[in-house]
Amino acid sequence: MSTNLAANLSREETAARSAAVDLTSSHVELDLSSAPDAAEPGFRTAATLRFRASTEQTWIDFLGLSVDRVVVNGVDHPVLWDGARVTVAGLAEHNEVRIEATGAYSRSGEGLHRFVDPADGATYLYTQYEPADSRRVMPCFEQPDMKAEYTFVVTAPAGWHVLSNQRPVVTTGGGATQTVEFAPTAPLSSYITAIAAGPYHRETSEWTRGDQRVELGAFCRASLADHFDADEIFEITRQGLGFFTDAFAFDYPWGKYDQIFVPEYNLGAMENPGLVTFTESYVFRGAATEAQREGRANTILHEMAHMWFGDLVTMRWWDDLWLKESFADYMGSHASVVATRFVDAWASFANRRKAWAYEQDQLPTTHPVVADIPDLEAAKLNFDGITYAKGASVLKQLVAFVGEQEFFEGARAYFREHAFGNTTLDDLLRALEGASGRDVRAWSRAWLETTGVSTLSLERSGDETVLVQTDPRPHRLRIGLFALEDGRLVRRELVDVDIDADETPIELPEIDGEAPALVLLNDGDLTYAKARLDQRSLASVERALSTIDDTLARGLVWSQLWNATRDGELSALRYLEIVRRHAPAEANVGILGGLLGNAAFAVNHYVADDAREEARGLWLDTVWEGMERAASGSGAQLAWARAVGAAAAYTGDRAAQLAAILDGSAPAPEGLPLDADLRWIWVQGLAATGHADEAAIREELARDDTMSGRTAAIQALAARPDAEVRRAAWEAAWTDETLTNDHLGATIAGFRAGGRRDLIAAFDEEYFSRIGDAWATRSIEIARRLVRGLFPATDSLDLVDAWLAQHAEAPGSLRRLVLEQRDHLARDLHVRSLQ
């Protein structure tokens, strides 16, 4: 068996293992004292696992540099390791197995990631495991239904902060190293254990409620300390702990609550109990919009919800991944609205998270919220818009169906019955049915166990109005009726509707003796469906969209316009004209940022080929004017300025003005913070059009020789419009295994910058010859970046269709990625053909 096949655990074999093996505890020793030596590739690791067994033989998972010793019940055992599985035999009813091994420091963000800060040369470590990378750090049973008490003992350089899920109980040593032993955890799955070590900057606080007292810690790299707004992070944390403790009627169960912001992180965050990890992009080096702060608050609350949904009660296998992610996504927005100042969080959800779900649910690889996950590769790819955002959307509808009080009472019963255990869909449905008295299994069959998204529209024939839905499902929704009053769209009526058929006659009252100017289907965003604007409504929003005073309603209109554009029912140029008219007045910077991104995508993907160059120039003018006219120092001004840099990568029309602002020979718009992050966005735009050469990029790097600066410089250097530069970036992406995850991403972004097909089309066929080997030899995270990021934007589907036809036996997860990229390309080509 190859290492790759052995590493890809299946649902059936892990179920058989957990039926035969009952794990009780794991004692893990890690020696990280070698970490500051960049030439040292690995670290010593040892695990002592105690378990009952009804089988004579099993395997223990480990991915690393070597397995050095195996001891079974006090007797040395031959080392039988295929690169992923350590076979142990001669088992009794009660067993103690010790495995000593050497793990590898990671550069891909999987396992134990090692980072050296260019700002001060300091070394930082952190772990990231989900779904199955704890085996890169310690020998373990890598499956969520084998929970155990974990005790970690970590040796690290003296002076470092050493962190884990629990508090330290003993620290020993002297001189160059220290050894920290942590208290045993409550029962945990291996993928949510965690370690971090390094000279992190630390802030502390606490949360109290009656007899409860939770110590709070917040950590970041020392070089980011001046930018670390720990006070706001702690404020959101305390608000969240208060909300969830009351909502779930179950005290926070994990002792301390540390939150650490780490470099080169592949995710937004990870819910390790007692030690939550976050991307350090949430540490704002420069100006940040209110939308960015709202996004960070949402993520803090999302991860906190996992302390109950996912950590306290964990899915048995990855089929029920939604049992934690859908709930956490819902709770992130709900708690933001109820407990924090971010009362428009549902508007942000409707425009950003649901857009992700709608896109994912229209792919040929879509899957039910409760998915069929046969193995770990499939699990890795199912952290997607269905599991997160669609699941959260249908939960929002469930709350409307059963009632908020009943929903939370069902959650409380679920936690009481299954604390520190593992569950499936059926366990949750029983708890919700018991609390609400409703038949939630019918809802589950309609929403959790099916695929696809319904489309809602109105059809009028004479005096009859019919609400039509494709892919019929039961919906409870509201219809907002708006009138035009002095040029403003004002909601005058709300009509509640329950539908489950493909056609439902409805009665919509007139307003002041005439049809409503705008009929907004799914006003309030209670259901999960694409909704269409009728022609009268479309004309009204073209005239007065920005006058709608309700943020969520306005955001829903923007969402409906974008979905119609993606589906080819609204021309891209008409959509862009609506953006040009109404985006400058958009008061919610989160909505503004989303629609600016959508508009830029429409320019480069949906506008017809013969109109694209002109559209790019007009779009750059639009965002430039938006930047100049936005209120001084506002989040909107910053959003427009970032859009300027993105647009400048496709046309050099404003290159001289941008360069003059950057070199100080011309003033920036009043109030615009020209910080390092914004400067890099502009420099990357200039580089892609040939208006920033290597010397200019190196000069910018000298101004900002930090982790972020170096990553940005890699992208800018790779973006220069020179055939040899792009070829070098192409080769580096595929062959340079010293590139970190972030540096690989920057290299790919530079290679694709500016849409310069004339510079990169020559690599189209080579892409398809490389992806199989990349999938077989690189980690899933790196291979996924390569397959998605370098997929060629060809003028036809011939190449991708030929590869799919010739590689029917390719790994299912690889085929899934290629099929998804094919679908994106097919949509681009189709929508462009309709313009």
Side-chain angles (χ1 to χ4, degrees):
M1 180 181 290
S2 74
T3 299
N4 285 338
L5 288 175
N8 187 24
L9 303 173
S10 74
R11 176 177 52 208
E12 286 73 19
E13 63 184 342
T14 55
R17 179 167 66 173
S18 61
V21 175
D22 180 17
L23 178 65
T24 57
S25 69
S26 178
H27 186 277
V28 180
E29 303 155 40
L30 301 173
D31 184 350
L32 309 180
S33 58
S34 65
D37 181 0
E40 177 56 59
F43 55 92
R44 293 194 299 276
T45 177
T48 302
L49 301 99
R50 296 178 177 88
F51 56 90
R52 295 167 58 93
S54 60
T55 180
E56 188 272 338
Q57 176 176 304
T58 190
W59 82 93
I60 295 168
D61 303 295
F62 182 71
L63 297 171
L65 299 179
S66 65
V67 173
D68 307 313
R69 188 185 182 202
V70 178
V71 180
V72 178
N73 296 324
V75 178
D76 277 283
H77 187 283
V79 174
L80 303 174
W81 180 56
D82 61 10
R85 307 180 187 205
V86 182
T87 299
V88 291
L91 299 177
E93 180 181 358
H94 297 277
N95 301 278
E96 180 180 286
V97 174
R98 179 177 174 83
I99 298 176
E100 299 172 5
T102 305
Y105 292 113
S106 170
R107 296 288 279 156
S108 66
E110 301 157 295
L112 181 63
H113 190 80
R114 176 169 61 179
F115 172 79
V116 179
D117 191 341
D120 56 16
T123 299
Y124 293 90
L125 304 174
Y126 66 86
T127 57
Q128 172 56 38
Y129 296 153
E130 191 174 40
D133 285 321
S134 62
R135 56 189 169 155
R136 296 182 184 274
V137 176
M138 59 186 179
C140 64
F141 291 110
E142 188 75 280
Q143 56 192 88
D145 64 341
M146 295 187 72
K147 288 189 168 184
E149 293 183 353
Y150 284 86
T151 301
F152 290 97
V153 181
V154 181
T155 300
W160 279 17
H161 287 295
V162 183
L163 307 168
S164 188
N165 303 89
Q166 280 292 319
R167 299 182 182 91
V169 291
V170 178
T171 300
T172 59
T177 65
Q178 60 179 321
T179 297
V180 182
E181 180 175 344
F182 294 89
T185 69
L188 289 179
S189 304
S190 61
Y191 79 93
I192 47 177
T193 62
I195 296 291
Y200 286 98
H201 172 74
R202 180 190 182 207
E203 300 279 354
T204 61
S205 186
E206 69 175 11
W207 173 81
T208 59
R209 170 72 63 81
D211 294 334
Q212 296 180 73
R213 178 178 175 273
V214 177
E215 298 173 1
L216 308 180
F219 300 80
C220 71
R221 284 186 290 131
S223 62
L224 289 177
D226 290 344
H227 307 293
F228 195 39
D229 50 343
D231 288 345
E232 182 168 308
I233 291 166
F234 286 139
E235 177 186 15
I236 299 299
T237 303
R238 285 190 290 266
Q239 290 169 333
L241 285 170
F243 171 78
F244 288 120
T245 297
D246 291 342
F248 297 151
F250 198 114
D251 290 353
Y252 173 72
W254 305 109
K256 69 182 179 73
Y257 200 88
D258 287 336
Q259 297 172 98
I260 186 165
F261 296 76
V262 297
E264 297 183 330
Y265 199 53
N266 290 324
L267 309 177
M270 182 63 204
E271 66 268 19
N272 315 305
L275 182 58
V276 184
T277 41
F278 294 84
T279 171
E280 66 177 27
S281 62
Y282 285 131
V283 179
F284 307 126
R285 296 198 310 156
T289 67
E290 188 72 353
Q292 288 174 276
R293 296 183 183 279
E294 179 191 276
R296 180 175 65 186
N298 189 295
T299 302
I300 289 171
L301 296 170
H302 174 118
E303 302 309 321
M304 189 178 293
H306 277 311
M307 299 300 115
W308 290 266
F309 279 110
D311 294 356
L312 178 66
V313 182
T314 309
M315 69 273 155
R316 184 172 299 164
W317 176 250
W318 301 102
D319 292 352
D320 284 308
L321 174 63
W322 79 280
L323 277 173
K324 70 186 188 75
E325 295 302 348
S326 298
F327 274 86
D329 224 42
Y330 172 82
M331 289 297 172
S333 293
H334 180 73
S336 292
V337 171
V338 173
T340 79
R341 74 176 191 269
F342 300 109
V343 296
D344 286 334
W346 282 121
S348 301
F349 178 86
N351 277 270
R352 301 181 82 93
R353 302 295 281 184
K354 280 186 100 167
W356 180 30
Y358 292 146
E359 177 181 318
Q360 190 87 39
D361 214 6
Q362 294 173 85
L363 293 173
T365 57
T366 188
H367 57 84
V369 175
V370 180
D372 177 31
I373 306 295
D375 54 37
L376 289 179
E377 284 191 2
K380 183 76 171 179
L381 297 186
N382 264 43
F383 290 82
D384 59 14
I386 303 298
T387 300
Y388 285 75
K390 181 179 180 179
S393 300
V394 300
L395 284 176
K396 189 178 181 184
Q397 187 183 46
L398 175 65
V399 173
F401 174 59
V402 303
E404 184 173 312
Q405 180 176 343
E406 290 78 6
F407 173 80
F408 278 100
E409 186 50 51
R412 293 165 187 158
Y414 178 70
F415 296 137
R416 287 193 302 268
E417 182 174 356
H418 300 290
F420 302 108
N422 295 89
T423 58
T424 64
L425 167 65
D426 188 65
D427 296 308
L428 178 69
L429 295 183
R430 283 192 289 104
L432 291 173
E433 284 182 331
S436 68
R438 295 289 196 109
D439 177 13
V440 296
R441 294 177 190 275
W443 167 84
S444 174
R445 288 190 294 272
W447 288 104
L448 299 180
E449 301 166 48
T450 61
T451 63
V453 54
S454 304
T455 300
L456 308 179
S457 60
L458 289 180
E459 290 186 2
R460 293 185 175 90
S461 178
D463 294 333
E464 185 178 51
T465 300
V466 176
L467 180 54
V468 178
Q469 69 161 319
T470 63
D471 198 9
R473 289 183 178 84
H475 299 268
R476 172 165 292 179
L477 68 146
R478 291 176 183 148
I479 302 174
L481 307 180
F482 292 70
L484 269 171
E485 298 178 0
D486 299 324
R488 302 183 64 82
L489 281 167
V490 179
R491 185 194 286 115
R492 297 282 295 275
E493 298 278 352
L494 273 173
V495 178
D496 291 320
V497 178
D498 287 304
I499 64 172
D500 59 12
D502 53 356
E503 294 187 359
T504 304
I506 60 173
E507 293 186 8
L508 298 179
E510 292 185 336
I511 298 177
D512 298 332
E514 62 180 25
L518 165 63
V519 178
L520 181 58
L521 300 178
N522 197 27
D523 198 352
D525 199 35
L526 294 182
T527 196
Y528 174 80
K530 293 190 298 181
R532 295 288 191 242
L533 296 167
D534 61 80
Q535 289 303 308
R536 179 180 175 87
S537 297
L538 178 58
S540 297
V541 301
E542 282 183 304
R543 175 181 173 185
L545 190 163
S546 54
T547 68
I548 300 172
D549 62 4
D550 182 272
T551 302
L552 178 56
R554 199 170 61 249
L556 289 171
V557 172
W558 281 118
S559 176
Q560 292 177 17
L561 290 169
W562 176 239
N563 281 322
T565 304
R566 287 191 77 244
D567 292 345
E569 296 188 13
L570 179 67
S571 81
L573 292 177
R574 191 174 181 185
Y575 172 76
L576 290 167
E577 179 59 21
I578 297 172
V579 173
R580 188 189 67 80
R581 290 182 189 178
H582 295 289
E586 179 51 60
N588 183 285
V589 71
I591 294 175
L592 175 63
L595 68 93
L596 292 178
N598 289 343
F601 192 91
V603 168
N604 295 304
H605 290 260
Y606 297 152
V607 171
D609 295 343
D610 58 2
R612 191 174 305 121
E613 184 176 355
E614 180 182 355
R616 284 171 170 168
L618 180 59
W619 178 241
L620 179 57
D621 289 342
T622 297
V623 294
W624 189 277
E625 291 168 8
M627 175 182 70
E628 290 190 321
R629 295 176 183 178
S632 173
S634 65
Q637 183 189 49
L638 186 57
W640 286 106
R642 291 168 177 168
V644 164
Y650 293 89
T651 173
D653 292 354
R654 299 273 184 172
Q657 292 164 281
L658 279 173
I661 295 174
L662 286 171
D663 67 22
S665 60
E670 183 178 355
L672 180 66
L674 199 60
D675 55 44
D677 291 339
L678 180 58
R679 288 184 64 89
W680 275 119
I681 293 171
W682 285 10
V683 168
Q684 288 166 346
L686 292 173
T689 58
H691 292 89
D693 61 13
E694 181 175 359
I697 296 166
R698 299 288 182 195
E699 182 178 347
E700 194 65 32
L701 180 58
R703 296 172 59 103
D704 181 35
D705 191 9
T706 62
M707 182 201 81
S708 298
R710 290 190 180 187
T711 303
I714 288 171
Q715 180 174 332
L717 289 167
R720 290 170 293 157
D722 177 89
E724 288 307 309
V725 167
R726 298 296 177 99
R727 176 175 290 279
W730 171 264
E731 289 296 333
W734 290 109
T735 64
D736 186 355
E737 297 191 18
T738 68
L739 290 175
T740 68
N741 46 355
D742 279 7
H743 290 177
L744 174 61
T747 302
I748 292 171
F751 174 79
R752 300 199 69 139
R756 291 293 302 271
R757 288 287 298 155
D758 58 314
L759 296 174
I760 63 175
F763 303 106
D764 291 352
E765 293 187 17
E766 187 178 340
Y767 165 88
F768 291 101
S769 70
R770 283 186 179 267
I771 56 177
D773 182 65
W775 194 261
T777 61
R778 308 295 291 272
S779 71
I780 292 178
E781 177 63 36
I782 296 300
R784 182 170 58 174
R785 290 185 185 227
L786 291 167
V787 174
R788 284 179 171 166
L790 293 172
F791 185 88
T794 52
D795 294 329
S796 78
L797 300 172
D798 293 346
L799 281 176
V800 62
D801 284 348
W803 185 90
L804 288 167
Q806 295 163 13
H807 295 83
E809 302 305 316
S813 297
L814 173 58
R815 283 184 59 85
R816 170 177 169 169
L817 290 177
V818 175
L819 281 166
E820 289 176 352
Q821 297 309 306
R822 181 203 183 277
D823 193 76
H824 293 317
L825 176 60
R827 182 180 292 270
D828 290 358
L829 297 174
H830 173 68
V831 174
R832 288 205 294 268
S833 73
L834 299 175
Q835 303 300 308

